[in-house]
Amino acid sequence: MSHRISTLKTLAALLLTTVSSLALAAPTPFTAHYRLDISGWPDATITHQLSHRGNDLQTGDVWESDMRASIKVASGEERGRFQLDGDRVQALDYTSSYSLVGIGDKYHLDRAQLQALPDRQTALFDLSRKAPDARCASTQVSPCQLDYQNHKGKTEMLYYRVIDRSDIQTPAGTFPGVTVDTWDPDKRGRHLYLTFHREIPGLLLGMRYVRDDEERSHLTLTDLALAPANSTSASTSGG
């Protein structure tokens, strides 16, 4: 039973990890739906929503990235709220929760805890903004580095390299993409390939997880709805 719970926790982390020109692109609110195919598991559905939460003198330009995943035996949610100040992204609040065969837990990081390093959702948004013009697009230079906090507030580090900037065909349409190869320097046999929209920060077009040269899972964008850039959504329930 303990091995099964450990496996399911690893699955939940994978679900939520799959859950952004010279001037960085401005955000656009969107709701995206995905299918996640995982070797040895039922297919999962993922919904990712980026929404504008307000812009005033006290809070600045605030956005929220909300990612929810579910399969027959597990579900999870991550929500990161962050402030934009020009090209700077500052994490403000983070919550996550999961439920696995009746076992669940919740996590929270507040603004004080997020001052030094962003949460995972905010870090992915920031990565997607920087990837189109990242310097680490050649093996001639060192890989770029991404530092963030996981759901428990533990510091995580990834190396990444931009490997492709071609258009990407998905069931939701064809979009300008940028693909980033990310890996833990201590686990070189594991690679997470993230493909972002080159012009819409935070929008994933696809993902592949490869371990020991074998693809273990892949994410496919199945539906996309865009909202006007100046729209403000109501707060999302749950979490």
Side-chain angles (χ1 to χ4, degrees), residues 91-107:
L92 300 177
D93 193 79
Y94 168 84
T95 60
S96 72
S97 62
Y98 73 89
S99 177
L100 306 168
V101 291
I103 301 173
D105 212 339
K106 295 183 178 181
Y107 304 91

Side-chain angles (χ1 to χ4, degrees), residues 111-127:
R111 185 167 189 163
Q113 294 170 292
L114 294 166
Q115 281 297 303
L117 287 176
D119 59 88
R120 184 160 51 196
Q121 284 295 313
T122 302
L124 284 174
F125 173 84
D126 199 27
L127 171 60

